[in-house]
Amino acid sequence: MDQVLTDLWQTRTDSQFPGLTTHAFLWTGRNTLFYSTATDADFAELGELGGISDQYLSHRDEAGPMLAKIADHFGSSLHAPVAELLEIGQHAHVDVPLGSRHVDVNEIEVIPTPGHSPGSTCYLVNGAEGSYLFTGDTLVFGDSGAWWAGYIPGIGDADALAVSLQLLRALSPDVVISSAFQGDSAVHRIQPGRWKDHVDQALEGLSVAVADQKHYV
């Protein structure tokens, strides 16, 4: 595992699709795992860092056999979007279904952001180095140097995603951490005053993607 911030560690890289990689992230401020791992290879190191008390999924694509293994090994509680309980529940029991925006008992702000998938959810925490926004696949920094919305034609909902991005635009994160990512890292520090520009770039790209889709239909 690699330490990426004072209180944030990432698991080893998982490459599920060519050119696209993922990590899970342990926030030691609350011994919370965001997203999920592909193997149990990091369990020992996770234990040395204090273990996992709670695991938060951003959406159904992170669900798999490891969910039950994580819960069994660490005794952790699984938090996941209520809109995707059917898919996620096939792999593990969801202890805390999430369906509305709120700050929970772990002082994590739950922000539903449908669009990439019906239940996509972002999380905002106050970390040692500022506010950390976990965006799942809703908003990603690509290897082209541009921010893009996680819209998949035929699967995602572009209108819902645009609304979700506007919601995120109103925030002021210091660090943004996506699930899937391109390039060298999923962790990006946001320069003061630049966040709205990044979201606007993603919104513009989303509009172009939708226009291109309509053109070819």
Side-chain angles (χ1 to χ4, degrees), residues 107-120:
E107 298 184 356
I108 295 171
E109 184 170 2
V110 177
I111 309 173
T113 50
H116 173 73
S117 69
S120 286

Side-chain angles (χ1 to χ4, degrees), residues 1-2 9-16 21-27 32-47 49 51-52 54-74 76 78 91-92 178-180:
M1 293 182 63
D2 296 317
W9 295 72
Q10 68 183 17
T11 60
R12 64 191 61 201
T13 301
D14 176 44
S15 298
Q16 297 177 322
T21 50
T22 64
H23 296 289
F25 293 87
L26 180 71
W27 177 42
T32 299
L33 187 72
F34 290 97
Y35 316 141
S36 194
T37 61
T39 73
D40 59 3
D42 290 317
F43 275 19
E45 288 186 77
L46 286 165
L49 290 167
I52 300 169
D54 297 270
Q55 181 178 12
Y56 288 71
L57 299 188
S58 71
H59 65 301
R60 61 195 178 194
D61 293 348
E62 295 158 6
M66 289 307 301
L67 295 182
K69 291 185 178 182
I70 289 170
D72 289 344
H73 187 85
F74 294 101
S76 55
L78 180 61
H91 301 283
S178 61
S179 177

Side-chain angles (χ1 to χ4, degrees), residues 114-116 151 156-166 203 206 210 214:
H116 173 73
Y151 174 59
D157 183 329
D159 291 337
L161 184 53
V163 172
S164 294
L165 290 175
Q166 289 288 358
L203 282 164
L206 177 61
V210 171
K214 291 179 178 179

Side-chain angles (χ1 to χ4, degrees), residues 187-211:
V187 181
H188 297 280
R189 296 181 184 272
I190 306 301
Q191 296 301 315
R194 293 301 311 280
W195 174 241
K196 287 180 172 60
D197 294 337
H198 297 329
V199 179
D200 287 343
Q201 184 179 51
L203 282 164
E204 182 179 355
L206 177 61
S207 296
V208 171
V210 171

